[in-house]
Amino acid sequence: MPSEIRNQRGSPLSATERKETVRTSEDSSLGQIDYGRWRGRFVFSRIGGFIKRLFGGGPSAAKALRVYDSFRYAAHEELSSPIQRSLRDYHIACAMAYHHVCVLGEEKKGEAMKLVLSGGSEKISEQVLTEVRKTVSCSTVELTYKYLAEDRTLPVGFLKRALIPDLIQSTVRDFNVDADTAEATIVKLAQDTGLLNDTDITFERILEIKNALRWRFAPETRTQVEQLPGRRGKGPVSRFDPSIPAATPPGLERPKATRYHLDKVDRTHIQNVADKGGGIKLKNTDTRDRIKRHFLRNKRYFSLNSAAIVVSTVLIGLVSGGIAAAAALFSYIAWYGVWSGGTELIRMTKAIRALQRAEASADYKLEVNDLGVLSEMDDKKFRVFLKSLRYICSHETLTRIFTAYSALEKDAQMRLEMEREKDESNLEAVIRLEEGKARYLYRRRNLQDAFKLYRRFYTAAVSDVERMDQEWEPVLDQLWNGKFKNMDPEKRERLFSHAANDPRVIGKSYHFKTKQTGWLQKVFPKMTDDLTSDGSIASKEAVEELERILAEEMPDIELSEEEKSRFNTHADRVANALILAENGVRSYLNVWLKGAIKSTMLHGFKVVWHASERRPALEISPHVPKPTVDGLIIFGFFFLADLFVDRYNEAVNKERFERITGKKTGKSMVWDWQGQRKRTGREEMNTMRRLAKDQLEDFVDRMLKLHDSHKDIMKEVRLQQQLSQVNPGSPMFDHMDDREAAVLILRRQYHHQIISEMMMGAIGKYYESVMTKTASWDQKMSHIIPPQTPI
């Protein structure tokens, strides 16, 4: 056995880096950032590995030998046979080699080859020692599977020194067979299956041998035959005798020797391979699918940029020749690499920082201290929490959820198709069936991990809205009953119409449509049963005035109902035209400016900035590149094309979403190379992801503004309570002006309506669809997988 120690330096991934992402409970952690992008994993793993090697110190060969000796001495106390001790020593050395604590090699000493234990690349720590102890306690077959799951080369001499002896011992123990018979059988089976050297060890060959042993040595399956009613109390009926078939009833046949069986260790190995993103019989296309989905999500971006680069390069080539065009193309590609890489690094850094802030502020309390007002500390924490998760969800989580669900849906469909044609007499089919099940469980855990942050974000927002609603409803009852319930309906509607046009209420892109029929009933569905339903007073007065003028000037003309409706709409716009125009222009300029900056970054630096001379030349400071006419034309074209395609894409997604939610009749269809077909669940999820991502920033802003409105309302409530205490005879809110009360109510309801619509829109639908669609697949897979906890 190995008895020598040598230092051997290397740089494989450490045990900590090889572990998959640690899953912690939702109560203690929000999760970990995993962009699912190869650049992030590659860069950060390399940086982390370099820092660890630089500052972590090197492994200790002497310490590795002490660990090996401690395991050996403990095993020798339990084993008396020298052969058993030798096999156990080799098993321990292989377990340590698996964790890179040592390296098991072979050297020639004299005329014989001897095993030598060398120092490994992994520094021994308490965590590594715990992992080594777990691996040492595994069976040899389990240890074999660990190596195979990572596609690693088995230690030298593993077949003859570990695997074959372990199979012999397990056969003797499990089937009560003598050692000589077991050894002869296993050696013959190994030769028949092609298992001759260490490099021949595969999962399928081990399964072939294990199942052949079961078929040969397992006791025959029998069932005890029930006693006949006429012979109750007597001895049992004898078992089936082939020589006298009429004398005894038949028993169950022995299972066919071609029915393959996977034990717990085999299934665990398949699950481990699936969890590592690998495959045994099923092809793993994760990388291809990720690239495909990335291009499909960003097809507008890639199409416009590719077209811009091609057009600009062709124009430069026509004007200045091929060399200039090649130089321009190279500069575009270099610029794209620098721009995308820098953007990715900034986003990842900001996302990690946002997660840290969310973790630090996740202990906020929604319980109130005084009349529904959060403490300043908890309010600040809640704001930081929402803003931090907003950034993570919009830039990482929503896409990660979509990616995880897409893989889950595809694997579930594949597994259900395999179930219809399963054949347990074929080893490959049995492995595929078990691997399909393992792949689904792996996808489901990925989806659960990806969904964690969005679930925390959405449930926190919903809980906060419900809290404010519970505090607001008693105040609204008091306000309504004390000031507006007994007011003349026409006067009340006129009052609220004027209050709805107050600058403190009107928003940038949304406002109460006070001239529409029944607008107040939509704002207060439980408070306005006595309102008229024939439209607003102002609109009626405007129509009556128009009819009077028309009757005097053009008595032969009469307004139709459609014309009256159009006039109502026009009157509605004129009533608050100045404020809405100001806010609308500001909002449009804000959106346009953001789009212009983004489009300039995407197209301008790569398309517009040519040299002012006839032939393009690279000008470096102190010379500043100047735009040319052809460059400005190209930029203007692609800038407008970018805005147009973006608006068109948004309109298409909204139309598809209305079909998904049932607001529009008919199925959502799509054209592909096979013709028109119904959109898949993955495609519907992508539509909701796009819309939810666009609305997420505004959703959080609305939530925080609703917080501010709620806080102002509670302050006003406290003031009115103090005034009512000064004059106990006056009712609550008696000292409050009617118009100010209406403004206060509408200001709060304005944000609440928008938030409610968003929760019923893409943001809430995306959240709901993840749970409902996953539960649906769980139901379809219920005969294959154990019951699962909800996502």
Side-chain angles (χ1 to χ4, degrees):
M1 284 311 300
S3 58
E4 298 185 8
I5 273 289
R6 293 188 313 219
N7 287 325
Q8 183 174 346
R9 300 280 181 170
S11 59
L13 292 177
S14 66
T16 303
E17 293 166 333
R18 290 196 311 271
K19 289 182 181 179
E20 42 176 92
T21 303
V22 178
R23 298 184 178 94
T24 55
S25 65
E26 183 174 317
D27 294 334
S28 60
S29 174
L30 292 174
Q32 293 191 0
I33 290 293
D34 178 14
Y35 267 73
R37 303 179 178 131
W38 66 269
R39 286 175 293 182
R41 292 201 302 269
F42 179 81
V43 171
F44 278 90
S45 63
R46 293 299 179 185
I47 293 177
F50 173 76
I51 294 176
K52 185 173 182 180
R53 289 192 299 271
L54 186 62
F55 299 103
S60 172
K63 192 172 183 179
L65 180 59
R66 289 196 297 271
V67 171
Y68 171 70
D69 288 338
S70 65
F71 282 114
R72 287 181 63 232
Y73 295 150
H76 287 185
E77 292 179 357
E78 301 176 359
L79 302 172
S80 57
S81 170
I83 296 178
Q84 295 291 334
R85 289 180 175 180
S86 178
L87 293 175
R88 189 62 178 172
D89 290 347
Y90 181 80
H91 179 87
I92 294 170
C94 292
M96 294 178 63
Y98 172 75
H99 293 283
H100 300 283
V101 174
C102 66
V103 175
L104 194 58
E106 197 174 26
E107 278 190 358
K108 186 175 183 180
K109 290 194 174 182
E111 298 297 328
M113 299 294 294
K114 292 188 177 181
L115 293 174
V116 176
L117 191 66
S118 323
S121 60
E122 182 65 32
K123 181 181 179 181
I124 298 178
S125 62
E126 185 177 352
Q127 183 180 2
V128 173
L129 192 60
T130 301
E131 296 296 328
V132 172
R133 186 175 292 107
K134 291 180 181 179
T135 306
V136 168
S137 63
C138 293
S139 67
T140 301
V141 173
E142 290 177 300
L143 181 58
T144 308
Y145 289 166
K146 284 181 177 290
Y147 275 94
L148 295 178
E150 298 185 8
D151 197 23
R152 289 174 52 185
T153 303
L154 288 161
V156 60
F158 191 85
L159 176 64
K160 296 180 180 179
R161 290 180 175 270
L163 185 57
I164 294 296
D166 183 72
L167 290 173
I168 294 173
Q169 292 180 6
S170 60
T171 303
V172 173
R173 180 181 63 252
D174 297 339
F175 303 122
N176 197 22
V177 181
D178 63 273
D180 293 337
T181 303
E183 181 178 0
T185 303
I186 291 173
V187 170
K188 180 64 167 59
L189 289 173
Q191 293 176 350
D192 293 342
T193 56
L195 191 57
L196 305 177
N197 301 307
D198 293 340
T199 55
D200 299 328
I201 298 177
T202 62
F203 178 59
E204 293 88 339
R205 286 184 172 129
I206 295 175
L207 284 181
E208 288 279 7
I209 294 176
K210 290 171 65 176
N211 278 275
L213 292 172
R214 182 175 62 85
W215 297 334
R216 182 169 301 187
F217 297 123
E220 184 178 359
T221 304
R222 299 178 184 275
T223 58
Q224 187 173 359
V225 182
E226 296 182 359
Q227 300 175 357
L228 293 177
R231 302 183 59 183
R232 182 170 298 176
K234 298 183 180 180
V237 178
S238 59
R239 296 186 182 277
F240 175 66
D241 187 354
S243 62
I244 316 176
T248 57
L252 294 178
E253 293 183 359
R254 177 175 180 171
K256 294 181 179 180
T258 57
R259 181 179 178 184
Y260 285 90
H261 170 75
L262 303 180
D263 58 25
K264 182 179 179 180
V265 176
D266 302 328
R267 292 193 296 270
T268 301
H269 169 66
I270 294 176
Q271 188 68 62
N272 288 337
V273 173
D275 290 348
K276 295 179 185 297
I280 299 175
K281 292 298 184 183
L282 300 181
K283 188 177 181 180
N284 190 318
T285 59
D286 285 4
T287 302
R288 185 195 68 185
D289 291 342
R290 184 180 293 115
I291 295 174
K292 175 183 175 182
R293 284 190 291 267
H294 179 71
F295 274 91
L296 289 177
R297 288 196 307 269
N298 299 278
K299 51 184 176 292
R300 174 180 62 88
Y301 173 83
F302 287 116
S303 299
L304 289 175
N305 276 272
S306 300
I309 291 174
V310 170
V311 171
S312 182
T313 304
V314 170
L315 288 179
I316 294 175
L318 292 176
V319 174
S320 305
I323 297 179
L329 181 62
F330 175 78
S331 65
Y332 295 157
I333 296 175
W335 169 256
Y336 173 77
V338 173
W339 176 262
S340 61
T343 302
E344 183 74 11
L345 181 61
I346 293 173
R347 285 182 177 177
M348 292 182 65
T349 304
K350 292 176 68 175
I352 294 174
R353 177 57 182 157
L355 182 64
Q356 292 173 344
R357 291 196 299 266
E359 287 275 13
S361 59
D363 60 341
Y364 63 87
K365 296 179 178 62
L366 290 178
E367 291 79 8
V368 297
N369 297 324
D370 181 20
L371 287 176
V373 179
L374 291 174
S375 67
E376 291 297 329
M377 180 178 294
D378 287 330
D379 183 66
K380 182 179 180 180
K381 286 183 177 180
F382 182 74
R383 289 172 179 270
V384 172
F385 183 81
L386 280 188
K387 289 181 179 179
S388 300
L389 289 191
R390 173 184 65 183
Y391 184 87
I392 300 171
C393 289
S394 61
H395 287 88
E396 187 264 342
T397 301
L398 293 179
T399 301
R400 186 182 171 198
I401 292 172
F402 166 70
T403 301
Y405 175 79
S406 299
L408 179 137
E409 183 180 282
K410 290 183 63 177
D411 284 334
Q413 291 173 340
M414 176 189 65
R415 182 60 179 83
L416 292 174
E417 291 176 0
M418 292 165 51
E419 185 71 14
R420 302 187 188 100
E421 302 176 357
K422 65 179 180 180
D423 180 13
E424 295 183 347
S425 64
N426 183 278
L427 178 60
E428 180 175 350
V430 172
I431 296 176
R432 286 171 61 87
L433 286 169
E434 185 63 31
E435 189 176 355
K437 170 187 171 182
R439 186 80 67 84
Y440 179 81
L441 294 175
Y442 166 67
R443 301 299 189 194
R444 199 181 185 283
R445 287 195 299 270
N446 281 351
L447 179 58
Q448 192 169 17
D449 290 343
F451 191 58
K452 181 187 295 184
L453 288 181
Y454 191 58
R455 181 174 63 238
R456 288 295 299 274
F457 169 80
Y458 187 75
T459 54
V462 171
S463 299
D464 189 50
V465 172
E466 291 178 350
R467 174 191 65 84
M468 288 187 287
D469 285 345
Q470 292 175 359
E471 299 160 2
W472 163 249
E473 288 174 1
V475 176
L476 179 60
D477 289 340
Q478 289 180 325
L479 271 169
W480 190 265
N481 295 331
K483 300 189 75 66
F484 304 114
K485 184 176 182 180
N486 299 320
M487 186 180 291
D488 178 68
E490 293 184 358
K491 178 182 177 182
R492 178 174 56 197
E493 186 170 3
R494 187 180 296 109
L495 173 66
F496 274 97
S497 296
H498 292 162
N501 293 321
D502 190 282
R504 292 170 291 178
V505 176
I506 292 179
K508 294 180 180 180
S509 58
Y510 175 87
H511 63 283
F512 291 117
K513 298 179 180 180
T514 58
K515 308 307 177 186
Q516 282 189 353
T517 299
W519 78 274
L520 199 53
Q521 286 93 329
K522 296 179 181 179
V523 180
F524 305 107
K526 298 180 181 179
M527 301 292 181
T528 55
D529 295 336
D530 59 337
L531 285 180
T532 58
S533 58
D534 57 347
S536 71
I537 306 303
S539 295
K540 289 192 297 182
E541 292 176 349
V543 172
E544 291 172 356
E545 179 65 16
L546 178 63
E547 289 178 338
R548 186 188 63 79
I549 296 174
L550 290 175
E552 292 178 358
E553 302 293 337
M554 292 172 285
D556 297 331
I557 297 179
E558 182 178 354
L559 286 177
S560 65
E561 291 297 326
E562 181 181 358
E563 290 170 335
K564 292 179 181 180
S565 176
R566 287 202 302 267
F567 185 81
N568 288 344
T569 303
H570 178 71
D572 173 40
R573 293 173 179 172
V574 173
N576 48 19
L578 293 177
I579 299 175
L580 290 178
E582 180 185 354
N583 290 335
V585 170
R586 186 186 301 113
S587 176
Y588 178 79
L589 289 177
N590 186 30
V591 174
W592 188 88
L593 184 59
K594 289 182 178 179
I597 293 175
K598 180 180 178 181
S599 185
T600 300
M601 293 300 182
L602 296 180
H603 306 308
F605 288 106
K606 293 178 291 185
V607 178
V608 180
W609 305 106
H610 300 169
S612 58
E613 290 82 6
R614 290 185 177 181
R615 59 181 184 84
L618 181 62
E619 298 188 19
I620 306 175
S621 181
H623 301 287
V624 179
K626 302 176 182 179
T628 59
V629 175
D630 62 327
L632 290 175
I633 293 175
I634 294 173
F635 167 72
F637 173 78
F638 284 106
F639 171 68
L640 295 177
D642 195 3
L643 292 181
F644 171 77
V645 173
D646 184 59
R647 297 296 181 270
Y648 175 77
N649 187 54
E650 183 179 0
V652 170
N653 283 332
K654 288 182 178 179
E655 191 271 339
R656 289 173 174 174
F657 181 74
E658 289 179 351
R659 294 189 184 276
I660 294 172
T661 56
K663 292 182 179 180
K664 280 190 176 182
T665 58
K667 299 294 183 180
S668 182
M669 308 297 289
V670 67
W671 288 90
D672 60 9
W673 62 277
Q674 294 179 337
Q676 193 177 31
R677 61 170 175 81
K678 181 181 176 182
R679 300 180 76 233
T680 63
R682 301 188 296 276
E683 291 168 331
E684 290 184 349
M685 289 286 289
N686 191 34
T687 297
M688 290 182 281
R689 178 201 65 84
R690 177 71 263 175
L691 292 175
K693 184 175 181 180
D694 292 340
Q695 297 174 8
L696 209 60
E697 182 174 356
D698 189 44
F699 177 73
V700 173
D701 291 340
R702 297 291 182 186
M703 280 290 305
L704 299 182
K705 289 178 180 178
L706 180 60
H707 253 270
D708 294 336
S709 300
H710 188 79
K711 187 184 298 184
D712 293 343
I713 290 172
M714 291 301 114
K715 288 180 180 178
E716 187 64 33
V717 169
R718 286 200 301 270
L719 176 61
Q720 293 299 321
Q721 283 184 342
Q722 293 173 2
L723 293 176
S724 63
Q725 291 175 0
V726 174
N727 186 6
S730 63
M732 187 69 171
F733 300 108
D734 184 59
H735 301 279
M736 192 179 206
D737 180 70
D738 290 347
R739 190 174 187 279
E740 287 299 314
V743 168
L744 192 70
I745 293 174
L746 291 178
R747 182 186 170 196
R748 199 265 181 192
Q749 291 302 99
Y750 171 80
H751 298 297
H752 189 273
Q753 264 195 357
I754 299 177
I755 290 173
S756 300
E757 290 179 1
M758 287 183 172
M759 286 182 174
M760 292 185 293
I763 292 177
K765 188 65 177 178
Y766 194 64
Y767 175 85
E768 176 189 350
S769 295
V770 172
M771 296 187 295
T772 55
K773 289 180 181 293
T774 305
S776 175
W777 287 117
D778 285 350
Q779 180 65 29
K780 295 176 182 178
M781 298 277 291
S782 59
H783 63 290
I784 300 172
I785 62 173
Q788 300 292 313
T789 56
I791 290 292

